[in-house]
Amino acid sequence: MSRLIETSFTKEDEKTEVSLRPEFLKDYIGQEKIKENLKIYIEASKKRGEPLDHALFYGPPGLGKTTLAGIIANELSVHMKVTSGPAIERPGELAAILNGLEEGDVLFIDEIHRLSRQVEEVLYPAMEDFEIDIIIGKNGESTKSVRLDLPKFTLIGATTRSGLLSAPLRARFGLIEHLEFYTPEELKRIIIASAKKLSVEIEDEGALELARRSRGTPRLANRLLRRVRDFAQIKYDGVITKEVADLSLNAMKVDRDGLDELDRAMLQMLIENFNGGPAGIDTLAASLGEDAGTLEDVCEPYLMQNGFLNRTPRGRVATEKAYRHLGLEFKDSSDYN
């Protein structure tokens, strides 16, 4: 089962999403504690004339980790090189990226928990001493290790699975920040700002309805805004009111609690096939024909945050709220611990 909000995401959407991202801290909405801390860290690094400490951002997808990395580079007036853990397969590839950086640059590695151990080992001296060891030659007496000095840079890592990050790598980050879900009011402000950039007319109540159903996630809020804009332009008078937002989101099968088809299917499978749980995530994924990582990274955090799901040592358990949401009779599973 695919997610409507994911499958409708085109390359054009990706370009639009990038254009909606704030470029400086003053324009960034939400994550107030992180933002205040970053202001201090950035200002201090500027005054000392040193690169910012390496930073790690973690939390569910779509909360602004990439955006914050870009903002840091802009605030420091440096370039940012973007890559991802799965894209760096060999140590030599990382060495080439590091050697191509300029003094003070930001290197952003998304999904950093997916770096191989061999690649990680290249990062350790690069992060601590700004140098790497390169092996020259092949097997034989001519093989030797050469230490290469690197320009001083800031590594920013992002991950949705902080528990999979190795302890030695995590310990080398000077700044570690956890991004939280956004409040409806914060998302409303983001939606109104994005609508202005897209030249879309939206009423406050329409923006709030979108915000309430965006799962606390700016990326999803902007994505739903673009799709509701389509409905408003074609079926209505072009203005996104509360009624237009409600009818459009219902047509997209995003309910009033922000749950989509996959969320509801996961809860229904858990309740009807596993008596409400406990059930393991791999078992649920196999039953749904979905990737376990999708359920764990995308569905679970929001369902747990909003009281639809509990995670126990024996597996996932549906709450009474999940039963009510699906219109099913609640079965007490209080003995699952």
Side-chain angles (χ1 to χ4, degrees):
M1 179 178 296
S2 61
R3 305 175 74 91
L4 173 64
I5 55 174
E6 296 291 342
T7 55
S8 62
F9 192 49
T10 64
K11 285 192 176 293
E12 191 61 34
D13 287 327
E14 187 174 0
K15 291 180 182 177
T16 305
E17 183 173 305
V18 171
S19 72
L20 297 177
R21 291 175 181 168
E23 296 183 352
F24 296 94
L25 281 173
K26 64 181 178 62
D27 302 315
Y28 189 94
I29 298 169
Q31 309 294 344
E32 293 300 325
K33 289 183 180 179
I34 294 176
K35 192 164 63 173
E36 288 303 313
N37 287 344
L38 284 177
K39 285 180 183 178
I40 294 171
Y41 303 148
I42 290 169
E43 188 62 29
S45 73
K46 284 181 176 179
K47 286 188 175 181
R48 290 194 301 266
E50 299 174 354
L52 185 70
D53 247 351
H54 305 302
L56 175 67
F57 296 131
Y58 69 99
L63 297 187
K65 295 182 285 292
T66 305
T67 300
L68 279 174
I71 284 174
I72 288 172
N74 289 336
E75 294 281 358
L76 294 171
S77 300
V78 298
H79 297 103
M80 181 171 76
K81 172 73 175 179
V82 179
T83 186
S84 69
I88 308 173
E89 296 180 350
R90 292 181 293 274
E93 294 171 348
L94 177 60
I97 292 171
L98 292 170
N99 196 42
L101 297 174
E102 297 179 6
E103 192 77 14
D105 278 358
V106 167
L107 172 61
F108 176 67
I109 303 181
D110 199 11
E111 297 185 85
I112 194 168
H113 64 275
R114 295 179 64 183
L115 287 174
S116 70
R117 183 57 56 87
Q118 292 79 8
V119 172
E120 268 192 33
E121 288 175 356
V122 175
L123 262 184
Y124 298 159
M127 294 175 72
E128 288 186 322
D129 304 316
F130 302 107
E131 56 188 23
I132 53 174
D133 293 318
I134 297 179
I135 304 300
I136 297 178
K138 297 184 178 180
N139 294 333
E141 295 182 1
S142 61
T143 301
K144 62 178 180 177
S145 176
V146 176
R147 179 145 291 194
L148 179 67
D149 290 332
L150 298 172
K152 292 183 178 179
F153 68 98
T154 296
L155 173 66
I156 300 179
T159 178
T160 58
R161 310 284 293 277
S162 62
L164 297 182
L165 207 65
S166 72
L169 180 57
R170 185 185 181 97
R172 285 169 169 80
F173 286 100
L175 314 176
I176 300 178
E177 300 285 358
H178 177 225
L179 276 70
E180 304 280 356
F181 284 115
Y182 289 64
T183 66
E185 188 58 38
E186 288 170 338
L187 288 177
K188 174 187 169 184
R189 291 167 56 199
I190 291 171
I191 289 166
I192 290 173
S194 296
K196 185 175 181 180
K197 291 179 181 178
L198 294 171
S199 300
V200 176
E201 189 174 349
I202 187 168
E203 295 182 355
D204 276 7
E205 286 301 312
L208 186 57
E209 185 65 23
L210 264 170
R212 287 176 179 146
R213 294 158 80 161
S214 295
R215 304 168 65 88
T217 307
R219 181 190 298 163
L220 179 55
N222 284 330
R223 199 171 299 176
L224 291 179
L225 171 63
R226 294 194 298 271
R227 298 290 72 82
V228 172
R229 172 189 61 176
D230 296 339
F231 279 90
Q233 289 177 343
I234 301 303
K235 294 191 67 176
Y236 306 103
D237 62 0
V239 180
I240 299 178
T241 63
K242 180 179 180 180
E243 181 182 12
V244 168
D246 180 54
L247 293 171
S248 302
L249 291 168
N250 287 341
M252 296 162 63
K253 300 183 180 179
V254 178
D255 66 33
R256 292 188 176 182
D257 284 306
L259 276 62
D260 64 13
E261 284 187 283
L262 184 55
D263 297 313
R264 293 189 294 271
M266 180 180 177
L267 293 176
Q268 193 143 3
M269 177 68 69
L270 183 57
I271 291 170
E272 295 185 347
N273 288 40
F274 300 96
N275 297 316
I281 194 67
D282 291 328
T283 302
L284 284 170
S287 301
L288 290 166
E290 277 291 339
D291 176 64
T294 299
L295 298 185
E296 199 164 13
D297 293 343
V298 180
C299 297
E300 268 197 2
Y302 184 75
L303 293 176
M304 291 174 62
Q305 178 90 2
N306 288 274
F308 293 101
L309 189 72
N310 285 329
R311 187 161 59 185
T312 77
R314 292 176 55 196
R316 278 60 176 175
V317 177
T319 65
E320 183 176 357
K321 183 177 181 180
Y323 281 82
R324 290 201 310 269
H325 187 81
L326 297 175
L328 301 172
E329 182 182 354
F330 176 60
K331 298 178 182 178
D332 189 3
S333 299
S334 58
D335 62 344
Y336 54 71
N337 290 320

